[in-house]
Every structure is written in C-alpha cells, then in structure tokens.
Amino acid sequence: MVCPSNLTTATAFLLYLAILLNLVSAHNFSELFQCNWAPDHFVDEGDQIKLTLDTASGSGFGSKRKYLFGKASVQIKLVEGDSAGTVTAFYMSSDGPNHDELDFEFLGNLSSEPYLVQTNVYVNGTGNREQRHTLWFDPTIDFHTYTLLWNHYYIMFLVDGVPLRVFANKEEATSVLYPKNQAMGIYGSLWNADDWATQGGMVKTNWSYSPFVSTFQSFKVDACEFSPENGTVIGKCSKVSQYRWDKSAMNGLSKHKEEQLRRVRENHLVYDYCEDTVRFPEPPKECLN
Ligand SMILES: *[C@@H]1O[C@H](CO)[C@@H](O)[C@H](O)[C@H]1NC(C)=O
Ligand SMILES: *[C@@H]1O[C@H](CO)[C@@H](O)[C@H](O)[C@H]1NC(C)=O
Ligand SMILES: *[C@@H]1O[C@H](CO)[C@@H](O)[C@H](O)[C@H]1NC(C)=O
Ligand SMILES: *[C@@H]1O[C@H](CO)[C@@H](O)[C@H](O)[C@H]1NC(C)=O
Ligand SMILES: *[C@@H]1O[C@H](CO)[C@@H](O)[C@H](O)[C@H]1NC(C)=O
C-alpha cells in the first residue's frame, strides 16, 4: 500500500488532474439513473445501456433525483435498419396531471428513410407544441449528443451542440406559462408508437426485425438537484443563479447560436405547430413575437 506522504508531486498532480477530469466527464449510469420500465428489456453494460423493444414490451429509465433547472445530455445511437413505428425518447418531466415536460422523440422509419426528431414542451399539463426536424446525419450509425438546457430564460433543445429549438420564457410579456415551479426527472425510453409515429401511422412496426435496440451512453447532468423533503434546491444551486447556464448573460442566444438556429430551421424544420392553421386557426400566443 502506498502511504500518502510517499506520493511524489507528479503523482499528486496526476491524481488532481484525474479528479478534475472526472468532474467534467460523464456520470456512471447507475449513479444517477435506474431502469424504471421492463428490466428484462433493459441491458446495463456499464458505460452504455441498451433499451430493447419487442412484441412483449419496450423499456425505459429515469433519474433517481429530480431537478429544478439545469442541463442534461446523453449520447444516443438510435434503432438501426427498419425502425418504423418505434419511438426513442429522451425527456424531462415532472409528475402529476398538471405536469411540465420537455421532449425529444425520435420517430423511426423504414430502412434508409429519414428519422424525424419531434420536440414538445408541456407546461402545467398542456403540450400540443410539436416541432419536427430532420437531422443532418444518420443517427443510427454513430452516437450523437442530445441536450436539454432549461434555465430561467429559455428551454433549448440541442443536437451536437447545435440549437434545434428554443422555447423562450414569455411569461412576463404574455400569459403563456413557463415551466419554473415543478422539479423534473430525466428519462429515456423506447416503445411502440406505430399508431402515429411513422408517416402519420401509415407504416406499422415490422416485428420480424425485433428486438429493436437504442443505445445510450455518456450521461451528463449539470442541474439543480431538488430536495423533495423540504421543497428546495440543494447544494451549489441553493445560491440563486450561480450556475453558468443560468447567468443573466445567458438571457438570449449568442450571434453564432442564433445563426445556427436559423439555418437548422431553414434546412431541417418539417413541421411547426405555430404554422399549423388547421389545428390552430388562432396562432398560440407564444408563437407571436
Ligand atoms: C457505477 O456505479 C455502480 C454503483 O455505484 C458501481 O457498482 C459500478 O461498478 C460503477 N460502474 C462503473 C463502470 O464505474
Ligand atoms: C394549472 O392547471 C390547473 C388545472 O388545469 C389550474 O387550476 C391552474 O390554475 C393552472 N396553473 C396556472 C399557474 O395557471
Ligand atoms: C419517413 O420517410 C418518409 C419518406 O421519406 C417521410 O415522408 C417521413 O417524414 C419520414 N419520417 C417519419 C417519422 O415518418
Ligand atoms: C417485414 O419484414 C420482412 C423481412 O424483411 C418482410 O419479408 C415483410 O414483407 C415485412 N412486412 C411488412 C408488412 O412489410
Ligand atoms: C433540504 O434537504 C436536503 C436533503 O434532502 C438537505 O441537504 C438540505 O440541507 C435541506 N435544506 C434546508 C434549507 O433545509
């Protein structure tokens, strides 16, 4: 056994570096999450977890704790080949009928047809705020990073660091509610949604390709942990707005991010509820500037 006093400066430095690196590296899945649906369809491989779907069941996981504001990201490699009818989700949600929820839903498709990414925001139990985008890569070949950033100013959905969508807090200017009071858990799941997911439900899941598998890795949570015991955030977040993602400087996007968002919208947006005059003859208030 090495006595601490025998550590050379170099070794001590390396240890210090390791601790530092560990702070910014991904979390161990079981440290923060657990399977919460169909353990027999869930595979924990340490660094990666696999959700599987067959005729018997899909599968899912959830965080052990809840968070009030923060940033959560994960890398996902989606169901490959014929994934029509399947939906892989990465989302945050609070509990109860008037819940808040932030969704990434990856809608599968026939082999070589594009996935769609559907995003949605629920506030106080009301969603109906879908946007759909195509991706600029094949999400089944490699892992890509999907991030939910939730601060006092906006909710941002990012793909490999590029903003796909921003839902701004317009609560003061309008009567549109913004999620801010309910702590949310962080979740992932894979399930059968062939009644609506692919080409509006026209293409059904072809079970001869099951089990379908989505793989998740590199879980990163930089968020304000909420204590259910006393109803307050704990740790670093107990000091208001001390997190870099919640500083007032974050009130608005950088020029670069604005430009990225504009280009994604121009090239990849295929559906926006704000422009769906059949569903909403009067545009929803948050869609007006
Ligand atoms: C992850 O954490 C669990 C529980 O703390 C531990 O049993 C497991 O060995 C860890 N796995 C890795 C890859 O660090
Ligand atoms: C949330 O919804 C519930 C029930 O629909 C309603 O009673 C409540 O007033 C809503 N909360 C806010 C802040 O509007
Ligand atoms: C699936 O592919 C078809 C044909 O290219 C496309 O119209 C559709 O948007 C794609 N995605 C989904 C989820 O249906
Ligand atoms: C399902 O996939 C199998 C294997 O490729 C194929 O033979 C069959 O026609 C497919 N079923 C449907 C309904 O497309
Ligand atoms: C709230 O509870 C947590 C444990 O869940 C504790 O760490 C924290 O100190 C408590 N805060 C207050 C203000 O009581």
Side-chain angles (χ1 to χ4, degrees), residues 82 110 204-209:
D82 187 335
L110 295 166
K204 302 298 177 192
T205 304
N206 186 337
W207 295 106
S208 68
Y209 296 114

Side-chain angles (χ1 to χ4, degrees), residues 53-87:
L53 165 69
D54 60 22
T55 51
S57 183
S59 183
F61 64 85
S63 58
K64 295 177 180 173
R65 303 174 198 106
K66 291 202 160 42
Y67 305 90
L68 194 61
F69 298 106
K71 189 174 176 181
S73 75
V74 69
Q75 294 186 348
I76 312 174
K77 189 152 105 51
L78 294 166
V79 173
E80 55 192 328
D82 187 335
S83 58
T86 73
V87 171

Side-chain angles (χ1 to χ4, degrees), residues 99-284:
H99 76 296
D100 298 335
E101 186 177 322
L102 319 175
D103 292 329
F104 265 118
E105 291 178 321
F106 302 91
L107 316 184
N109 217 332
L110 295 166
S111 292
S112 71
E113 299 285 359
Y115 261 81
L116 287 182
V117 184
Q118 172 166 295
T119 53
N120 203 354
V121 175
Y122 283 74
V123 193
N124 199 36
T126 304
N128 298 323
R129 295 191 174 95
E130 296 87 357
Q131 279 191 1
R132 289 181 174 188
H133 291 80
T134 53
L135 290 164
W136 45 94
F137 50 82
D138 181 342
T140 72
I141 294 177
D142 287 317
F143 286 93
H144 289 271
T145 305
Y146 303 97
T147 305
L148 292 166
L149 169 57
W150 172 33
N151 67 26
H152 286 84
Y153 310 105
Y154 53 72
I155 290 152
M156 205 189 308
F157 298 81
L158 302 116
V159 175
D160 291 333
V162 174
L164 197 68
R165 174 177 185 176
V166 174
F167 181 85
N169 182 351
K170 296 183 179 173
E171 222 179 64
E172 279 185 16
T174 68
S175 55
V176 180
L177 297 178
Y178 186 80
K180 62 176 190 306
N181 301 318
Q182 306 191 68
M184 300 198 230
I186 304 164
Y187 303 92
S189 58
L190 169 61
W191 81 96
N192 178 41
D194 67 1
D195 53 330
W196 63 273
T198 307
Q199 300 180 38
M202 300 279 287
V203 183
K204 302 298 177 192
T205 304
N206 186 337
W207 295 106
S208 68
Y209 296 114
S210 75
F212 300 98
V213 180
S214 278
T215 309
F216 291 65
Q217 69 177 20
S218 193
F219 299 86
K220 293 186 182 173
V221 177
D222 186 8
C224 292
E225 200 180 318
F226 189 78
S227 160
E229 287 81 38
N230 49 36
T232 57
V233 287
I234 58 181
K236 299 183 261 191
C237 287
S238 50
K239 291 189 192 112
V240 179
S241 293
Q242 287 308 292
Y243 261 7
R244 63 191 160 68
W245 42 256
D246 213 1
K247 293 246 196 298
S248 52
M250 294 291 285
N251 187 3
L253 304 187
S254 67
K255 273 247 149 50
H256 180 57
K257 285 260 189 291
E258 285 277 13
E259 178 59 15
Q260 286 182 320
L261 182 65
R262 193 190 62 71
R263 288 171 66 170
V264 165
R265 218 185 139 79
E266 199 171 284
N267 300 314
H268 298 282
L269 182 74
V270 297
Y271 175 82
D272 186 355
Y273 76 109
C274 285
E275 289 162 6
D276 189 338
T277 53
V278 175
R279 273 174 87 195
F280 305 102
E282 296 245 340

